[in-house]
Amino acid sequence: MQIPVIVQTTVLLTLSNVFMTFAWYGHLKGLASKPWWIAALISWGIALFEYLLQVPANRIGYTEMSLAQLKILQEAITLTVFVPFALFFMGQPFKLDYVWAALCLVGAVYFIFRS
């Protein structure tokens, strides 16, 4: 049984976004006392895994989706990954703006995939 392209792409992009979110923002909590260049090196190491997942995700997705569809899908996934990261890992307070932003992305996904 072949896994649908949209499922393969979504799973790989979700995993890549987890790595990228930690690479971009995890150092603000976990490495705050270290010099910036140490945080940068560790972040680059984490980001390598993001690219190892993101590149195949986009190549797979591009076989059936447009570039715009890939980008909107990636942005929707980014918010889906970022909000729990911000709330649970970084301890940020919940904001109703997260809900409004999510609704805007749902609209973006609808409009880009409707045709």
Side-chain angles (χ1 to χ4, degrees):
M1 179 178 96
Q2 180 69 20
I3 299 171
V5 166
I6 186 79
V7 173
Q8 292 179 58
T9 303
T10 301
V11 168
L12 288 171
L13 285 176
T14 300
L15 293 172
S16 77
N17 266 276
V18 169
F19 282 105
M20 201 60 186
T21 300
F22 276 94
W24 280 23
Y25 303 107
H27 64 86
L28 297 174
K29 181 176 181 179
L31 301 170
S33 64
K34 303 288 185 197
W36 74 266
W37 60 271
I38 291 175
L41 289 174
I42 291 170
S43 292
W44 286 341
I46 295 168
L48 170 65
F49 294 100
E50 185 268 342
Y51 281 100
L52 291 174
L53 295 165
Q54 177 260 38
V55 170
N58 284 327
R59 286 177 167 243
I60 291 166
Y62 196 60
T63 64
E64 292 184 10
M65 289 182 265
S66 70
L67 187 62
Q69 288 173 325
L70 280 170
K71 183 59 180 171
I72 294 298
L73 178 62
Q74 189 273 330
E75 293 300 333
I77 291 169
T78 296
L79 185 62
T80 303
V81 169
F82 180 77
V83 170
F85 171 85
L87 295 174
F88 300 115
F89 183 78
M90 296 297 289
Q92 298 292 301
F94 177 80
K95 294 183 178 183
L96 196 55
D97 288 342
Y98 294 156
V99 175
W100 307 136
L103 290 174
C104 289
L105 280 174
V106 167
V109 170
Y110 169 76
F111 286 115
I112 205 71
F113 280 96
R114 73 181 173 156
S115 56

